[in-house]
Amino acid sequence: MAGDSFGKLFTVTSFGESHGPALGCIVTGCPPGLELTEADLQKDLDRRRPGRSRHVTQRKEPDAVRILSGVFEGVTTGTAIGLLIENMDQRSRDYEKIKDKVRPGHADYTYMQKYGIRDYRGGGRASARETAMRVAAGGIARKYLHERLGVRIRGYLAQLGPYTLEPLDLDAVDSNPFFCADPGQLENLEEYMIQLRRDGDSIGARINIIASGMPVGLGEPVFDKLDAAVAHAMMSINAVKGVELGDGFKVIEQRGSEHRDEITADGFLKNSSGGTLGGISSGQDLLVSIALKPTSSIQKAGTTVDTKGAPAEIVTTGRHDPCVGLRATPIAEAMLALTLMDHYLRHRAQNADVQVGGRIGATATKR
Amino acid sequence: MAGDSFGKLFTVTSFGESHGPALGCIVTGCPPGLELTEADLQKDLDRRRPGRSRHVTQRKEPDAVRILSGVFEGVTTGTAIGLLIENMDQRSRDYEKIKDKVRPGHADYTYMQKYGIRDYRGGGRASARETAMRVAAGGIARKYLHERLGVRIRGYLAQLGPYTLEPLDLDAVDSNPFFCADPGQLENLEEYMIQLRRDGDSIGARINIIASGMPVGLGEPVFDKLDAAVAHAMMSINAVKGVELGDGFKVIEQRGSEHRDEITADGFLKNSSGGTLGGISSGQDLLVSIALKPTSSIQKAGTTVDTKGAPAEIVTTGRHDPCVGLRATPIAEAMLALTLMDHYLRHRAQNADVQVGGRIGATATKR
Amino acid sequence: MAGDSFGKLFTVTSFGESHGPALGCIVTGCPPGLELTEADLQKDLDRRRPGRSRHVTQRKEPDAVRILSGVFEGVTTGTAIGLLIENMDQRSRDYEKIKDKVRPGHADYTYMQKYGIRDYRGGGRASARETAMRVAAGGIARKYLHERLGVRIRGYLAQLGPYTLEPLDLDAVDSNPFFCADPGQLENLEEYMIQLRRDGDSIGARINIIASGMPVGLGEPVFDKLDAAVAHAMMSINAVKGVELGDGFKVIEQRGSEHRDEITADGFLKNSSGGTLGGISSGQDLLVSIALKPTSSIQKAGTTVDTKGAPAEIVTTGRHDPCVGLRATPIAEAMLALTLMDHYLRHRAQNADVQVGGRIGATATKR
Amino acid sequence: MAGDSFGKLFTVTSFGESHGPALGCIVTGCPPGLELTEADLQKDLDRRRPGRSRHVTQRKEPDAVRILSGVFEGVTTGTAIGLLIENMDQRSRDYEKIKDKVRPGHADYTYMQKYGIRDYRGGGRASARETAMRVAAGGIARKYLHERLGVRIRGYLAQLGPYTLEPLDLDAVDSNPFFCADPGQLENLEEYMIQLRRDGDSIGARINIIASGMPVGLGEPVFDKLDAAVAHAMMSINAVKGVELGDGFKVIEQRGSEHRDEITADGFLKNSSGGTLGGISSGQDLLVSIALKPTSSIQKAGTTVDTKGAPAEIVTTGRHDPCVGLRATPIAEAMLALTLMDHYLRHRAQNADVQVGGRIGATATKR
């Protein structure tokens, strides 16, 4: 199986190139009886959509999703859900001039070497355009998790280049183009992005994602710990180069007496572990953080080779995101939703009838 | 499928509890014709073995591995390879006194909630003892990768609590109990560990792993990028809370003009990406870094509850590693070997007959 | 993973209901560099298409397939191939009158019990209409197998109710609406089908499928023998209730001295085993035979219950195949192609560099 | 993944050669809380054991199974269950004389071609000896299905060469060495087998397996119909060349009005379909029938080639079953148990909270 599928029970399989006629995916394993409309999925697609602000790619795509199967009279039937988004603004002529060049920092070289052929129009399959289907499919998982289990997944921009941003007001995230929960810094971000565009350059970012209302018990021993599944999901997003759970890389300098989350009858006293113990969800908030690299498609000239190996210079003038992190929040949320949904079904398959007492639930510490 | 399997084509499935009679695994998909003896696997098992120095758990386990199938007249036959290690020094009576307590930072609570039952002897399935089988299975992958493809996988301790350690001499790694490549710091590490034990506390660590001699083309588009597979593999190791490829979290503050690895006819000018482009190996060194938390089994008293939810105090007096990072290097190496081997076979299945020119190989920059 | 996927490396995942807006599938794992157009797939789709003769359902569907991704400048790129067929002639009002009845011999009852909801229009997901996507996807496999490996897959109608049909002229199969290779019997079949329609009844059939030019070595030990994979593939086709390889059920009365296919330097002396030994292809022709039940959608009144459990009478007047076996030949061929393609890639992944002599190839007996 | 694993959620992965030191398997996904001892598994292993009567191979193997993990204080913990059986009576010197010959009807040729190497001792991995692990693992599934869901799985010898045997008394099956439920024919069978041994020949057989007390809803749409899963499971057993569900190949000559199982408020009027509708279990008895070929290891001289391709004569004098069907009943039962268990968990994962009325359960016709 090539890498176009995610999940073992709640499974998404996608197809589609940046400049092909359409993108699509098939979601299998969705429990029946979930109310579902295209509007439910469009909401998150609109959050990810290009052209929403002047700080992201100006490609004009409505990204209107169609549900082609698996929903009957407004509810899921339990059978495969086919989703389709047509590409409207392809402008593939933009790519003629770089078709013979190997763009540094892009998949051009590796796809060419792996397959002996590549669709050079906008990165083809390697384009972040495929993340639209992650968001569409993730919307189904998200709705189920929220309506049936009370899980809420929220992300925010935690750092943009030099600016560290606090999660002061998560409700503000959707009212600004940065997915920023630190409204006092918005002006700085605006100015930073304007200067960046003038410089013809790009910048990295950090996104944090939190799942609250977590069920206890998700994740499997050994190789499929929830941590591993989350890391896999996040690192599969284009441009992600680092993943942390809980205190992440800070644990290196922590002592055990400082790191371990002590427990009282009222719950955990803190959440350094980030919501898992032994790889299985503890009911605490799941805390995930990811690092996204700056896009390599910039207007500053760079050194490279052409497809025959001869030296060349490259300048990317197409429509690109100067900070891919700016549109990554709904994608990361979607990937977390898909991961949790899959592990919820895996857990339920094996342990549906387990009865336990002593749950430390009411006051499980969030942060 | 529960989480006991890793890999799609080169697959390891393992079993075994910390204090059960034995651990074992089955490796399937190994190409035939590889010379293989138990000694080949024992080498890495000995590097991971408990009791090797005074800084790690004093449990006495020879960890002698037996090959029960899949090898005939000294070479692999292509059929399933069964491996077995018997547990010798179980001392499970140590655990009687904590069987009714929920150890903070451990899987006690989550296993109990997930399954309604748990093997409380030394963490049962959640014990890091299972990593012995990762190392054994990884040894097969490692041998194939090295002998057939020229891939070399090496790890080292990059940070121990406050001490940052440079990869000055990778050949020194196996001659000290810290897997340290920075010999000038050995004395500091010794003293630090002695003091830590006196304190009855534990500490986190960072391990870096490098694969050199990499084939180009490993990894799949979209969800199974090599980055994602590596992140999954690493985050599945007990105590790992963060994973980075290449520049990792440093990319957040990088600009595109700084991050992108420019290309000349002689190869890449640097390796910020850490060896993948678009999720597929570029032939550059694969650069991986992981953070391991301090173990929660320490002698400092902590607050917790018992299995009935009543407040309790816990002190762990058993045989434990004060820094789980100290034995993690061969485990991380093994997981990287398993990941690369699996992706090599996946790549070969689809692309065995692809012919390409223009490989940037000879001088692909390593770091 | 629900049952919408087939194959481990060359994988088809499909969606679509009989009366939804469209059917589609995603094919992953296809090797790059294969020339592929929609016309290549349309050929077999036309063979399966409804309305081709008066003996099959009169639903009018052009079944025009679109390739939405994975093909660039006329060749496969190695990335996911999205295929789509729009439903044109849905007439779902036909189904209003049976929406509250449980049709005997159909999936109505079981889908209702499994999912608590069902799309009653023409069987929804359980309709044989989904087999269009098997044929489309199978066309890709078939083309690869034929062009790269020289494998040829041909099926024919071997029995229609009381008429046993010999494979006298396989080239005649596509020139009559029965996929019959026994031209002398065509008149009998015509008359039989006319009388059957007058009776308002349906009939079962046997289809045989042969793969010639087989590579040696396809199939895996133990659970994934090629025989098992073929049986899985065939039994997944709607209405199939029996599968045989080689001599099939006749082996019950055979002695070992009669059954075993003796070997000479020139090849096997016969082919009772049907092309596999120990579950692995021997290079002989692969001989498969399947039994298809008569459709339960007939005009003769039958006894049943309604969805509330009350007694009811049912008569099916819609557009149905009086012999589902008549259109099954291209479907069975497609499933065999998908099976062989998947196993070819699995075999190549593990054994790409195995060198052997002594192949019994030149004259491997076919029948 | 090579073919050593079966099942997606309740998964068995096995290893072991006929003449290696041991056989073993790992069962993952077993729900926690099931009481389980080695004696529970030994029961079926003893039914399959060689040397039980003079009509089967005289190899002396106690086949004593050890549980190495996954069971704590007498109940399953939900973690991986490791099982091990040591080979005691290997006598591999028997095979020296045939090591250079390609036995007709055996996997010698295909394994050699596939892997370039083979373990010639008793067929190595291709030996039916691996079925011991199927029976051991199947015993766990069987116990769960029976205790938790009330499913009962029983098989019997339905035909031995020319003798057709009726299921007159299923309780008699375990009191004779033929798994025969038709006691009046035992004497014929005895005589037939004695004469067969005198002839130095072997014979085929038919085994029927029935699962009663079936839950409704097992099986998935499209490719993973329960029929397909059962066919896969059965056809993976050594020597099986045909599989039927319900009326099987008889459906070819049936009319729809005859085949369809009509329904009344009291249940189905008959069971031609064999317990599935649209690939999903209906609650009726699951009726499966399989054909096993005669073993090719016989004392009658046969024509073959040696491993260099030169003509040779072969006579097999080792310890072999003159009718492999005689020991196949517990193996087929085990495979059915594994299939149903896996599909029960798959169904529960997706549909655990589906509430439906109108179940036709009380009087679902069995035959």
Side-chain angles (χ1 to χ4, degrees), chain A residues 122-291:
Chain A
R125 186 68 175 142
S127 164
R129 179 124 188 83
E130 57 84 359
T131 57
M133 295 325 301
R134 301 183 187 229
V135 171
I140 303 173
R142 192 169 190 150
K143 190 163 196 282
Y144 186 95
L145 290 167
H146 189 249
E147 293 185 1
R148 300 293 168 92
L149 305 177
V151 176
R152 192 165 175 200
I153 296 171
R154 286 180 298 181
Y156 62 93
L157 182 69
Q159 192 174 352
L160 177 78
Y163 291 96
T164 302
L165 307 160
E166 296 302 321
L168 301 177
D169 179 7
L170 287 175
D171 293 334
V173 161
D174 282 339
S175 59
N176 69 73
F178 300 99
F179 296 91
C180 170
D182 193 349
Q185 299 244 41
L186 283 171
E187 210 167 320
N188 292 336
L189 301 183
E190 279 280 346
E191 281 171 22
Y192 185 84
M193 290 304 297
I194 289 165
Q195 185 58 46
L196 188 69
R197 202 162 51 236
R198 276 190 205 124
D199 297 346
D201 216 331
S202 63
I203 191 69
R206 178 194 287 266
I207 304 289
N208 287 353
I209 315 102
I210 304 167
S212 53
M214 282 290 295
V216 184
L218 308 196
E220 303 291 328
V222 192
F223 300 111
D224 286 355
K225 293 185 172 77
L226 190 59
D227 312 57
V230 167
H232 186 135
M234 294 298 153
M235 210 67 129
S236 79
I237 300 173
N238 299 36
V240 173
K241 299 306 287 186
V243 180
E244 296 181 314
L245 261 87
D247 287 349
F249 279 89
K250 284 197 287 288
V251 301
I252 297 169
E253 302 198 23
Q254 291 175 349
R255 292 198 160 207
S257 53
E258 174 191 1
H259 176 81
R260 65 174 169 184
D261 302 317
E262 289 179 289
I263 308 173
T264 71
D266 293 331
F268 295 92
L269 291 178
K270 61 186 180 56
N271 188 5
S272 284
S273 76
T276 66
L277 287 170
I280 292 171
S281 66
S282 65
Q284 293 185 279
D285 282 4
L286 198 67
L287 307 175
V288 183
S289 189
I290 60 176

Side-chain angles (χ1 to χ4, degrees), chain B residues 1-2 4 8-9 11 13-17 21-22 26 28-29 32 66 68-70 72-73 75-80 82 84 111 115 117-121 125, chain D residues 1-2 4 8-9 11 13-17 21-22 26 28-29 32 66 68-70 72-73 75-80 82 84 111 115 117-121 125:
Chain B
M1 192 180 293
D4 308 279
K8 284 184 193 289
L9 290 181
T11 305
T13 304
S14 79
F15 72 84
E17 279 91 41
I26 304 175
T28 67
R66 288 176 65 202
L68 297 179
S69 69
F72 183 59
E73 299 181 343
V75 299
T76 57
T77 61
T79 60
L84 196 78
Y111 269 58
Y115 298 119
I117 178 179
R118 76 184 170 93
D119 178 345
Y120 54 76
R121 300 164 306 165
R125 185 68 174 141
Chain D
M1 189 179 294
D4 309 278
K8 284 185 192 290
L9 291 180
T11 305
T13 305
S14 79
F15 72 84
E17 279 91 41
I26 305 175
T28 67
R66 288 177 64 203
L68 296 179
S69 70
F72 184 58
E73 299 180 342
V75 297
T76 58
T77 61
T79 59
L84 195 77
Y111 270 59
Y115 298 121
I117 178 180
R118 74 185 172 93
D119 179 346
Y120 53 76
R121 301 164 305 164
R125 185 67 174 142

Side-chain angles (χ1 to χ4, degrees), chain D residues 43-337:
Chain D
K43 200 167 41 179
D44 279 322
L45 281 166
D46 287 347
R47 294 171 71 218
R48 191 212 76 101
R49 193 156 46 88
R52 273 179 85 225
S53 81
R54 58 180 172 167
H55 306 305
V56 300
T57 169
Q58 295 305 303
R59 182 169 168 164
K60 301 297 179 203
E61 287 290 354
D63 279 352
V65 67
R66 288 177 64 203
I67 298 176
L68 296 179
S69 70
V71 174
F72 184 58
E73 299 180 342
V75 297
T76 58
T77 61
T79 59
I81 302 172
L83 302 178
L84 195 77
I85 292 176
E86 292 189 54
N87 283 329
M88 309 302 278
D89 180 17
Q90 305 171 25
R91 267 207 269 170
S92 52
R93 65 189 177 280
D94 285 2
Y95 293 93
E96 277 299 316
K97 60 178 170 287
I98 57 162
K99 72 182 261 199
D100 295 325
K101 288 184 183 169
V102 176
R103 294 174 298 163
H106 278 279
D108 298 355
Y109 174 65
T110 51
Y111 270 59
M112 195 67 208
Q113 294 293 326
K114 182 178 184 71
Y115 298 121
I117 178 180
R118 74 185 172 93
D119 179 346
Y120 53 76
R121 301 164 305 164
R125 185 67 174 142
S127 163
R129 179 127 188 81
E130 56 85 0
T131 57
M133 295 324 301
R134 301 183 188 227
V135 171
I140 302 174
R142 192 170 190 149
K143 191 163 195 282
Y144 186 95
L145 290 167
H146 189 250
E147 293 185 1
R148 299 295 167 94
L149 305 176
V151 176
R152 192 165 176 201
I153 295 172
R154 286 179 297 181
Y156 62 92
L157 181 69
Q159 191 174 351
L160 177 77
Y163 291 96
T164 303
L165 306 161
E166 298 300 321
L168 301 177
D169 178 7
L170 287 174
D171 292 335
V173 161
D174 283 339
S175 60
N176 69 74
F178 299 100
F179 296 91
C180 171
D182 193 349
Q185 300 244 40
L186 283 171
E187 210 168 319
N188 291 336
L189 301 182
E190 279 281 346
E191 281 171 23
Y192 185 83
M193 291 303 296
I194 289 165
Q195 183 60 45
L196 189 69
R197 200 163 52 238
R198 275 191 205 125
D199 296 346
D201 216 331
S202 63
I203 191 70
R206 177 193 288 268
I207 304 289
N208 288 352
I209 316 101
I210 303 167
S212 52
M214 282 289 295
V216 183
L218 306 195
E220 303 290 328
V222 191
F223 300 112
D224 286 355
K225 293 186 173 76
L226 190 58
D227 313 57
V230 167
H232 186 134
M234 294 299 153
M235 210 68 128
S236 79
I237 300 171
N238 300 36
V240 173
K241 300 305 285 186
V243 179
E244 297 182 313
L245 262 87
D247 287 349
F249 279 88
K250 284 199 288 288
V251 300
I252 298 170
E253 303 197 21
Q254 290 175 349
R255 292 197 159 209
S257 53
E258 175 190 1
H259 176 81
R260 65 177 169 182
D261 300 319
E262 289 181 286
I263 308 172
T264 70
D266 293 332
F268 294 91
L269 290 178
K270 59 188 182 54
N271 189 5
S272 283
S273 77
T276 67
L277 287 169
I280 293 171
S281 66
S282 64
Q284 292 184 278
D285 283 4
L286 198 66
L287 307 176
V288 183
S289 188
I290 59 176
L292 293 111
K293 70 173 188 178
T295 180
S296 302
S297 296
I298 55 177
Q299 293 180 37
K300 286 195 165 172
T303 299
T304 191
V305 294
D306 65 22
T307 52
K308 282 168 191 145
E313 186 182 76
I314 195 147
V315 174
T316 313
T317 52
R319 303 161 300 177
H320 295 284
D321 286 287
C323 174
V324 290
L326 287 197
R327 285 166 60 211
T329 293
I331 302 165
E333 289 169 354
M335 290 310 296
L336 190 56

Side-chain angles (χ1 to χ4, degrees), chain C residues 40-105:
Chain C
D40 290 324
L41 309 181
Q42 199 61 49
K43 201 168 43 184
D44 279 321
L45 281 166
D46 288 346
R47 294 171 73 218
R48 191 214 76 102
R49 193 157 44 89
R52 274 179 85 225
S53 81
R54 58 181 171 167
H55 305 306
V56 300
T57 170
Q58 293 306 302
R59 182 169 170 165
K60 302 294 179 204
E61 288 288 356
D63 279 354
V65 68
R66 289 176 63 202
I67 298 176
L68 297 178
S69 70
V71 175
F72 184 59
E73 299 180 341
V75 299
T76 58
T77 60
T79 60
I81 301 172
L83 301 178
L84 195 77
I85 292 177
E86 292 190 54
N87 283 328
M88 309 303 277
D89 180 17
Q90 304 171 24
R91 266 206 268 171
S92 53
R93 65 189 177 282
D94 286 4
Y95 293 93
E96 275 300 314
K97 59 180 172 286
I98 56 161
K99 71 182 260 198
D100 295 324
K101 288 184 182 169
V102 176
R103 292 173 301 164

